[in-house]
Amino acid sequence: MADILLEDLVKTYGDHEAIHRISCHIKPGEFMVIVGPSGCGKSTLLRMIAGLETVTRGNIRINGQCVNRIEPKDRDIAMVFQNYALYPHMTVFNNMAYGLKLRKMTKPEIQTRVRECADLLQIGHLLDRKPKELSGGQRQRVAMGRAIIRKPSVFLFDEPLSNLDAKLRQSMRVELKGLHTRLKTTMVYVTHDQVEAMTLADRIMVLNEGQIEQVGTPDVLYERPETIFTAQFIGSPEMNFIKARIVDQTLVFDIKDQGISFPAPDIELSNTENLICGIRPEHITLHGALDSGQAGIKGRIQLIERLGSDTLYYIDLSHDRRLTIKTHLNLPLQIHDEVYAGFSPDRFHLFDPASGKRLPLSEKIT
Amino acid sequence: MLKPVHFKSSILPYLLVFPQIIITLVFFIWPASQALYQSFLVEDAFGLSSEFVWLDNFTALFSDPDYLNSFLRTFFFSMATASLSMGFSLMLAVKTDRVIRFATPYRALLIWPYAVAPVVAGTLWMFMFDPTLGLAAWWLKTAGISWNHRMNGNQAMLLIIFAASWKQISYNFLFFIAGLQAIPKSLIEAAAIDGAGRTRQFWSIVFPLLSPTTFFLLVVNVVYTFFDTFGIVHAVTKGGPAGATKILVYKVYNDGFIGLDLGGSAAQSVILMIIVIALTIIQFKYIERRVEY
């Protein structure tokens, strides 16, 4: 087990700065997931930890030791690549044994290690095969086997599940989590898939354009996103964003012809005219008609997606505004029906559109 | 699979392949069949009459120690040239693959020698190593090595091996560069993380993965040394001294056009033809079931 400390890490390619001053402490035994859209620098960051990319400025410390100038092989890490990177001319056995042979282990030792590891990953029957004779899921397991067999102090994963089909990805995800619980080794896992991030991580680092948006546990990221970017990125379907303003202690949605207001938080804001209110689709209720005294926004159902357990309603609010609502209730509604959306203000997230930051006291809305 | 294309008129497709067929007939089928026919004939010394002798020319060849000697010499020349040229170009390819700045100009420069005709390449090397005029020969002399490929058969052989290899380096280099670039970078990175140093990475990962390219080039190089090196030998040594560099293809010319033994020369060229056909078949067979990584 080792901890990884990133100190003001910068990476530039020519004039282009890909990573801007990233600092983070990954604790021993932690499962850290780095998530972000493609091109945000997450793979670069991982490759810098692995030693496959040089560090322009700043330090990487593994177990306290600065590894900036240390070769990948001497960093006591193992990495699983997106395309698996299995040696095509070697059998599964030799793929797994390669690293051990290079570390001058004896033959019987290698034999037992490979056996052990193959049993753990249930690939014992594949040891004599070449990678091209394996299915995607099997290759994935071999790639993982090649990493864990050396018992390194840090595992690095570069989108390891993105080449698998949805079902296999789900089951590998569960296995990976199980593996982490058993091995208790520090893992750094890069993905663009927020579901993978939420399900696997102890903590998530949300990366956008080479900068950290937020680092936190999946719960914190979901309940208390610090920026619009994080709010948008975490959660599926995406959070709804509605323009709003505060007038006379009330929060008013900026939707034409529809007056709806909520008690506003008692905060000093320099700008009360221009706010963004984020509401997750699962926190909006849907009604065919409004009861007396209930407030709601009127709209029309544009599209219904039935996922079995849940149903997604896409509501057209006129003037090109749209709402996504997720509910597990089976409502007798159809496309083009007129409906009302109901809100609970304690689920609102308020953001300042200029800075993209969460407004400090927005959780105090009652 | 290629899609079959349908022509409306039935003459057009034949018209389209006509030029190629004519070229093949005139420059390949006709001379080849002439050679085959000639190889069964013995002509009298004045070229006035010829006699059909079946396989006598061939049996004569295989009982001729001079011919068998030439065979061995060719084999040695071929192996030496192929390994020297391929080894050197592989080294260059690996080196340029690591270069990031100016990689394209480097590669373009390395490809130039391929545009040089064999005779010109041969002449170039002949001048450099000329015992009286050559710069390289002078350098060797100052280093205490007496160089005279016109007297020393081994030096003559060495010189044509160098000239022939130099000419082929570009071609091999090009294929090796392509082969290297087809190897996913992540494999090398995985090996680096697994603990392999540069040398180890090359021998345990890169070299095995290049083996299809290496095999292809081996066949191409052997074919080249067997058939395309006439110009070099002719320009540098003319088969000498004392037949030390008389490789098969040069002997065909020497026996036929200098020695005027048309039948014997034709029989030799038929044997060469059989060798190239065999090599081509091996090549095609291999490429068909080539291991795809």
Side-chain angles (χ1 to χ4, degrees), chain A residues 271-319:
Chain A
N271 167 13
T272 55
E273 276 300 303
N274 195 3
L275 302 172
I276 285 191
C277 181
I279 315 146
R280 296 204 180 274
E282 51 271 42
H283 298 150
I284 307 177
T285 51
L286 192 61
H287 312 271
L290 284 179
D291 299 336
S292 56
Q294 204 175 2
I297 300 182
K298 196 168 74 178
R300 236 171 238 293
I301 299 178
Q302 204 180 30
L303 187 71
I304 303 176
E305 282 184 334
R306 295 187 195 281
L307 306 177
S309 59
D310 296 308
T311 309
L312 302 182
Y313 296 90
Y314 296 87
I315 313 291
D316 195 5
L317 299 178
S318 74
H319 308 293

Side-chain angles (χ1 to χ4, degrees), chain B residues 237-254:
Chain B
T237 63
K238 296 209 164 37
T245 53
K246 209 198 273 172
I247 56 172
L248 286 175
V249 67
Y250 198 77
K251 196 170 153 56
V252 170
Y253 158 81
N254 208 44

Side-chain angles (χ1 to χ4, degrees), chain A residues 239-256:
Chain A
M239 187 186 266
N240 296 292
F241 293 100
I242 300 172
K243 279 189 186 165
R245 62 204 140 90
I246 295 177
V247 185
D248 300 336
Q249 306 292 305
T250 57
L251 181 74
V252 184
F253 282 172
D254 204 5
I255 299 172
K256 241 184 211 166

Side-chain angles (χ1 to χ4, degrees), chain A residues 47 52 73 77 79 81 83 85-89 98-99 102-103 146 150, chain B residues 186-187 189-196 200 204-205 208-209 291-293:
Chain A
R47 293 168 57 83
L52 301 173
K73 65 185 166 97
I77 49 154
M79 182 157 166
F81 292 82
N83 61 3
L86 298 177
Y87 311 126
H89 57 299
Y98 186 68
L102 290 174
R103 277 169 176 72
R146 194 174 60 178
R150 289 195 351 242
Chain B
S186 57
L187 286 183
E189 292 170 351
I193 290 176
D194 264 347
R200 191 66 190 244
S204 60
I205 309 292
L209 292 181
V291 202
E292 291 293 340
Y293 289 127

